Amino acid sequence: MTAVPEGGPGLPQRRTLVTEIPGPASRELSARRAGAVARGVSTVLPVFVTAAGGGVLVDVDGNSLIDFGSGIAVTGVGNAAPRVSSRVAAQAAQFTHTCFMVAPYEGYVEVCESLARLTPGTHEKRSALFNSGAEAVENAVKIARHATGRSAVVAFDHAYHGRTNLTMALTAKNMPYKQGFGPFAAEIYRVPMAYPLRWPDGPDACRAEALGVVKSLIHSQVGESNVAAIIIEPIQGEGGFIVPPKGFLPGLAKFCADNGIVFIADEIQSGFCRTGDWFACSHEGVVPDLITTGKAIADGLPLAGVTGRAALMDAVHPGGLGGTYGGNPVACAAALGAIETMVAEDLAGRARRIGEIMLPRLRKLAEQFPVIADVRGRGAMIAVELTHPGTLEPDAAATAAVAAACHKAGLVVLTCGTFGNVLRFLPPMVIGEDLLEEGLGILEDAFGTL
Ligand SMILES: Cc1ncc(COP(=O)(O)O)c(C=O)c1O
């Protein structure tokens, strides 16, 4: 192993390849891993990381890779961001755990105050903190069911809400998330997503028809008065960075309000500046009843939250929500450091700038390579969908080939989509423009290898 540099934004912000990817030290660790780690836990790019910061990941072989993944939309403020690292170190030196349900501490309250301030809407709010996004979604459903006395929950095609039993039921895609893991939780109903590229008669029809189709299915197959909650990702993440047409989310929120249904926005992937605003709902002024947050909230420490209308949140009896570790003090310290960074460095503005740089370049690339059927997303949450040219037939093989070429050249990109044919780009919001442009150049070259 080469000398290990210190992580954080001081790392040289450049791509450096000193071995093939993955290099020999990473390959050796992969062999060890195979004998110790369950194969169900898979890996996109088997380089073992020793340091990370800004827009780069440094591996055990001394390679420095450009990061367009942020650990799946987590390290938006940059890995080992100074305000996060210093608060985490200070908190860890004071106490690491009491259990908020046994003896509380200020950090938890401060995170909940921040969530009340930053999430959409000026109404009175309450929050509860958990360890993972899936746990937050489970609790949002618990709260909605308890507050309404209803049981049905409506989720969308292409949705991803996690890997626990209830969230697997909410998640749409079978392989790899659900295959062989049933039976799943009951009373989950699925409706079509407003997916402009794949709506039967195209994007204009999608804009005109999608809301009506959803409302009609709920009316005829579930009954509005049985529905506790509708849960939606304002921009779908794992399902393929699907951006619904303008008007769909506000229409859905109004339908919920008109029928006493709790509108849950799952902003675990799209939240905390990623789309160029604090939350993706805000682009259309949508105010959810409950909002789930996670991922970027704490720069990688395990923390997630449910925030919502005080009357809904407080409907649950004392002791009905919680968990041993939820809102751990070190994770709360990380969240306060991450939020402070987002404000101080205007990361929503940085995300918008990233979108302004990426979208035109990707649209140009789509003109050059007809395998790109769609370029979409907002801010620093951008994707391209690949199909066999001139058709909507997904091209997962080309998607995998482009991703592999990027990885080989030292650019971390992720794929997603129900059909495995979407390349998604989630650079840290703090990435430098030179590095961003260099990454885009690598991507362009990767398309050239098809
Ligand atoms: C929209 C959304 N909801 C929920 C989850 C689950 O979060 P976690 O992996 O922290 O359980 C994810 C994770 O990718 C997500 O993108």
Side-chain angles (χ1 to χ4, degrees):
M1 199 166 88
T2 54
V4 177
E6 197 172 305
L11 275 176
Q13 294 297 299
R14 57 174 177 266
R15 179 180 59 131
T16 313
L17 299 187
V18 293
T19 69
E20 71 278 18
I21 302 289
S26 275
R27 291 202 301 273
E28 205 178 308
L29 281 166
S30 284
R32 250 176 75 195
R33 169 201 161 126
V37 180
R39 76 186 181 117
V41 184
S42 65
T43 291
V44 172
L45 177 55
V47 297
F48 282 73
V49 174
T50 55
V56 298
L57 301 174
V58 175
D59 75 8
V60 282
D61 290 288
N63 300 298
S64 173
L65 291 84
I66 302 175
D67 182 14
F68 273 14
S70 297
I72 320 187
V74 171
T75 54
V77 299
N79 251 297
R83 293 179 184 87
V84 174
S85 300
S86 59
R87 282 187 185 248
V88 164
Q91 179 58 51
Q94 288 308 113
F95 62 96
T96 50
H97 176 79
T98 59
C99 186
F100 192 74
M101 300 184 305
V102 174
Y105 38 87
E106 187 177 354
Y108 189 118
V109 177
E110 213 178 327
V111 170
C112 294
E113 287 168 348
S114 301
L115 284 165
R117 203 174 56 248
L118 298 171
T119 54
T122 52
H123 51 279
E124 198 180 341
K125 296 172 195 162
R126 302 281 185 271
S127 293
L129 303 180
F130 303 97
N131 302 296
S132 69
E135 207 188 336
V137 170
E138 291 248 358
N139 279 278
V141 170
K142 277 170 61 173
I143 293 162
R145 283 180 167 157
H146 198 286
T148 59
R150 304 172 180 182
S151 57
V153 178
V154 174
F156 286 81
D157 277 342
H158 311 287
Y160 182 88
H161 297 291
R163 295 171 181 268
T164 56
N165 188 264
L166 175 60
T167 58
M168 276 192 292
L170 293 167
T171 290
K173 186 173 175 175
N174 178 48
M175 194 66 185
Y177 307 125
K178 301 167 79 164
Q179 175 63 34
F181 299 137
F184 302 112
E187 282 302 292
I188 307 294
Y189 298 87
R190 194 166 306 285
V191 291
M193 178 59 183
Y195 187 165
L197 181 73
R198 293 190 176 277
W199 194 260
D201 290 318
D204 289 340
C206 182
R207 183 174 297 111
E209 297 167 5
L211 184 63
V213 169
V214 168
K215 289 202 268 192
S216 159
L217 279 172
I218 291 173
H219 178 72
S220 61
Q221 297 188 12
V222 196
E224 292 85 343
S225 62
N226 297 315
V227 180
I230 297 180
I231 181 163
I232 189 164
E233 301 152 81
I235 297 180
Q236 285 184 321
E238 305 301 303
F241 282 25
I242 301 161
V243 187
K246 200 162 182 285
F248 183 75
L249 293 172
L252 205 59
K254 180 172 184 314
F255 174 72
C256 287
D258 290 346
N259 291 284
I261 298 168
V262 177
F263 181 83
I264 306 175
D266 180 349
E267 293 247 19
I268 287 162
Q269 188 153 168
S270 57
F272 282 105
C273 300
R274 176 54 60 188
T275 66
D277 206 327
W278 278 98
F279 293 94
C281 270
S282 302
H283 294 292
E284 288 192 76
V286 170
V287 177
D289 299 310
L290 297 180
I291 180 166
T292 54
T293 53
K295 289 189 181 275
I297 190 176
D299 202 22
L301 274 84
L303 191 73
V306 181
T307 301
R309 297 186 187 282
L312 275 177
M313 295 291 296
D314 283 342
V316 178
H317 48 272
L321 304 174
T324 304
Y325 299 123
N328 166 273
V330 183
C332 286
L336 295 171
I339 291 167
E340 192 188 339
T341 308
M342 290 178 210
V343 173
E345 301 186 12
D346 181 25
L347 292 191
R350 296 277 285 268
R352 289 195 295 277
R353 175 81 188 129
I354 288 169
E356 282 161 16
I357 293 171
M358 292 192 84
L359 284 167
R361 267 186 84 165
L362 293 172
R363 288 192 184 118
K364 240 171 112 186
L365 199 63
E367 283 168 20
Q368 207 182 335
F369 295 98
V371 70
I372 301 177
D374 198 18
V375 177
R376 57 181 181 247
R378 274 188 201 276
M381 186 172 183
I382 305 285
V384 292
E385 177 160 355
L386 278 63
T387 63
H388 292 278
T391 75
L392 285 179
E393 196 190 328
D395 197 341
T399 310
V402 172
C406 289
H407 296 165
K408 208 170 143 198
L411 173 68
V412 180
V413 294
L414 308 174
T415 61
C416 65
T418 300
F419 314 109
N421 66 326
V422 179
L423 282 164
R424 60 172 153 172
F425 312 112
L426 293 158
M429 273 91 76
V430 294
I431 194 169
E433 291 190 14
D434 288 353
L435 213 54
L436 183 67
E437 300 275 7
E438 188 182 348
L440 286 166
I442 294 168
L443 179 71
E444 286 160 3
D445 292 346
F447 273 94
T449 65
L450 284 179

